[in-house]
Every structure is written in C-alpha cells, then in structure tokens.
Amino acid sequence: MNALSLTPTQLLAGLGVVLVLLSVWRAGARRAKAAANAARTSARLVSLAGRVAVNAVLIVLVQWVVITHRGDGWLLLAVLVVPALFASYTLTRALTVTTYEPSRRRGERR
C-alpha cells in the first residue's frame, strides 16, 4: 500500500477550497431565504389589498341598495365610495389574523 503524502501547501490549498465552497453555499442559502421572505411579504400585501377591495365593494353595494331611491344616483355613488374604502380597510385590518414572527439575533438557529 502506498501512503498518502501531501505537502503543507497542498493541505492549505485544499482547506481553502473547502472554506470557499462553504461560504458560497451559506451565501446562497441566505439569498434564497431573503427572496422567500420578500415573496411572502408581497403576497400578504396583495392579499390584504384584495380583501380591502372586496369589502369596499360589499359596503358600497349595501349603501347603494339602501339609498337608491333618493337623489342623483352617480353623484351619490361617488360620495359613498371614499368612506367605504376607509371603512373596509379598517374592518379588514381588524378582522385579519396576523402572525408574530420575532426577529432572530445573529447566529440563532430555528
């Protein structure tokens, strides 16, 4: 059997390659996690905006049915839309269940 013989320079070069590969791998994992968090945050925002719009439409429809028999229709509709948007935003935020995700300190694992 032949003994494996490596010079100190070869050992240091091998160790350097391993360290570079580990750092590249960790950086890629961090980037992937940051991209996933950004996507999750934007999905939450779009979901909230959609729920606000649907609630606003429902409020406007209910108000429109109640007040249809009075005055100019289009002007009344325009006057009712703005308060309905504010009310639907407030109700949606109040009724939405959100999760609390505490920020991690550097070096902590999940």
Side-chain angles (χ1 to χ4, degrees):
M1 271 205 144
N2 291 341
L4 183 63
S5 62
L6 294 173
T7 65
T9 305
Q10 291 172 331
L11 284 174
L12 286 176
L15 184 62
V17 167
V18 168
L19 288 174
V20 167
L21 287 175
L22 281 174
S23 66
V24 167
W25 178 65
R26 286 191 64 189
R30 285 182 185 157
R31 266 191 238 113
K33 187 181 281 190
N37 285 339
R40 197 170 22 250
T41 300
S42 66
R44 287 180 189 156
L45 180 62
V46 170
S47 175
L48 178 63
R51 286 180 283 170
V52 167
V54 168
N55 282 334
V57 167
L58 290 175
I59 291 170
V60 166
L61 287 176
V62 169
Q63 289 174 340
W64 183 253
V65 167
V66 170
I67 307 176
T68 299
H69 303 290
R70 307 179 91 186
D72 184 16
W74 289 109
L75 180 60
L76 188 57
L77 179 65
V79 170
L80 292 175
V81 168
V82 174
L85 284 174
F86 286 115
S88 68
Y89 177 79
T90 304
L91 284 173
T92 303
R93 290 290 289 188
L95 299 175
T96 300
V97 177
T98 58
T99 60
Y100 173 70
E101 298 175 7
S103 61
R104 295 184 302 158
R105 291 188 195 132
R106 227 181 145 111
E108 280 186 14
R109 292 187 182 191
R110 285 193 167 187

